[in-house]
Amino acid sequence: MKIAIMGAMPEEIAPILEKLGSYKTTEFAKNKYYEASYRGIELVIAYSKIGKVFSTLTATTMIEHFGAELLLFSGVAGAVSPELKVGDLVVASKLSQHDLDITAFGHPFGYVPEGAVYVQADMKLIELSKEVALEMDKNVKEGIIATGDQFVANEERKNWIGNTFNADALEMEGGSVAVVCDALNVPFFILRAISDAADMDASFSFDEFLETSAVESAEFVMKMVDKIVNKTI
Ligand code: 4EZ
C-alpha cells in the first residue's frame, strides 16, 4: 500500500515530514518528493507549489511515477461559509473549478464538455474522517470546496463563488487534484484548515495563521493515515 500526502506549500507538509523524522528525497520534474515507510506502509509526500497547474503535475507524478494508490491532501483554505472560523477543518465532499468559464457558449461555470462541474471525493475516506473526528474530538465540516488560480481577498468574489458553486471554502489546488485522481481511479481525500475569510483582510490573516492551521490539518491527515494502516492490518 502506497499513500500520497500532498500540500501546496512547504508549510503544509512540514509538520508531516517532522513527524516522520527520516525520509528519502528524490527530485523529479523540478520538484522534490519525500519517500518514507510508516508503520508498514509506504508514503510519498510533496508540496506542489501553488495553483491548479503545479498541483496537477504533482498529483499525476505521485500516482504515475511513484505508484501512489490513495491520495490525501492537507492544507489551508479561505472560508466562504460564515460558519467556518480560522482553525476549523473542512473535508471536501466534492470540488469544482470556480475560474473555469466557457459560459459564452451557454455552459455553466466550472463546466467544459466531457468534464463535470463537480468531482466527488471518496465516500469511504470521508466516512473514515468522521471516525477520526470523533476520536480526536474535533468538529469537522463536510462541504464543497471551490478551486481557482486566484488568492481571493474580496468579499464580492467570495460571495459569487459561494452562490455559484454552493461552496463552503475556497483554495487553489483541490479541484485540479480531484480531476487527476478521478481520471486515474485513485481514491482521494482533501482536507483544509481555515486560514482566512477570503475577504479584504485575507492576506494578513493568511500570513498570521498559515502555520498553525497547516498543523491542524496535517495532524488530522496523519490520524487518517493511522486509521488506514489499522484497517489494512
Ligand atoms: C491556496 N492557498 C493559498 C496560497 C496563498 C500566498 C503566498 C490556500 C488559501 C487560499 N486560496 C488560503 N486562503 C485562500 C484564499 N483566500 N484564496 C485562495 O490553496 C499563497
Side-chain angles (χ1 to χ4, degrees):
M1 171 72 135
K2 197 181 240 188
I3 301 179
I5 307 176
M6 77 174 276
M9 301 175 71
E11 292 85 349
E12 290 173 327
I13 64 158
I16 292 159
L17 294 179
E18 232 166 83
K19 187 176 161 118
L20 296 176
S22 72
Y23 42 82
K24 176 181 139 197
T25 307
T26 307
E27 283 206 29
F28 185 84
K30 293 195 176 175
N31 202 2
K32 286 193 178 75
Y33 291 83
Y34 307 99
E35 291 171 278
S37 59
Y38 175 77
R39 299 187 54 203
I41 61 154
E42 292 173 88
L43 298 179
V44 55
I45 300 147
Y47 74 89
S48 58
K49 299 186 282 292
I50 296 154
K52 295 196 295 180
V53 175
F54 287 126
S55 57
T56 298
L57 174 61
T58 297
T60 306
T61 299
M62 287 173 126
I63 296 165
E64 288 294 298
H65 186 78
F66 288 94
E69 304 159 74
L70 194 90
L71 187 147
L72 311 175
F73 192 105
S74 180
V76 302
V80 177
S81 163
E83 271 177 46
L84 289 168
K85 305 293 174 210
V86 167
D88 288 353
L89 292 168
V90 194
V91 164
S93 53
K94 53 184 186 174
L95 303 99
S96 64
Q97 298 181 59
H98 67 70
D99 58 351
L100 188 54
D101 178 357
I102 54 164
T103 55
F105 297 90
H107 293 296
F109 284 103
Y111 179 85
V112 294
E114 298 180 53
V117 176
Y118 297 102
V119 178
Q120 217 79 42
D122 186 75
M123 296 286 278
K124 284 200 198 115
L125 290 172
I126 295 172
E127 286 309 312
L128 208 65
S129 76
K130 290 177 185 166
E131 289 177 32
V132 172
L134 267 177
E135 282 166 27
M136 289 180 81
D137 198 21
K138 286 245 181 229
N139 205 354
V140 178
K141 186 180 169 67
E142 187 182 333
I144 297 173
I145 292 184
T147 298
D149 284 329
Q150 310 169 333
F151 182 83
V152 178
N154 171 320
E155 201 94 32
E156 209 180 312
R157 177 73 188 160
K158 166 173 88 163
N159 291 335
W160 180 85
I161 292 167
N163 293 330
T164 308
F165 297 96
N166 207 6
D168 296 290
L170 54 83
E171 35 84 311
M172 305 175 70
E173 298 84 18
S176 40
V177 170
V179 168
V180 169
C181 292
D182 179 62
L184 297 175
N185 258 310
V186 168
F188 70 96
F189 176 78
I190 312 265
L191 181 76
R192 297 277 183 168
I194 299 302
S195 57
D196 58 86
D199 56 8
M200 61 186 288
D201 303 317
S203 62
F204 305 101
S205 180
F206 177 85
D207 283 340
E208 190 175 346
F209 298 111
L210 166 62
E211 270 185 57
T212 48
S213 292
V215 167
E216 286 287 322
S217 175
E219 279 177 354
F220 193 96
V221 158
M222 285 313 287
K223 287 274 194 280
M224 289 283 293
V225 174
D226 286 332
K227 265 253 172 259
I228 294 163
V229 171
N230 293 343
K231 300 231 162 169
T232 43
I233 5 183

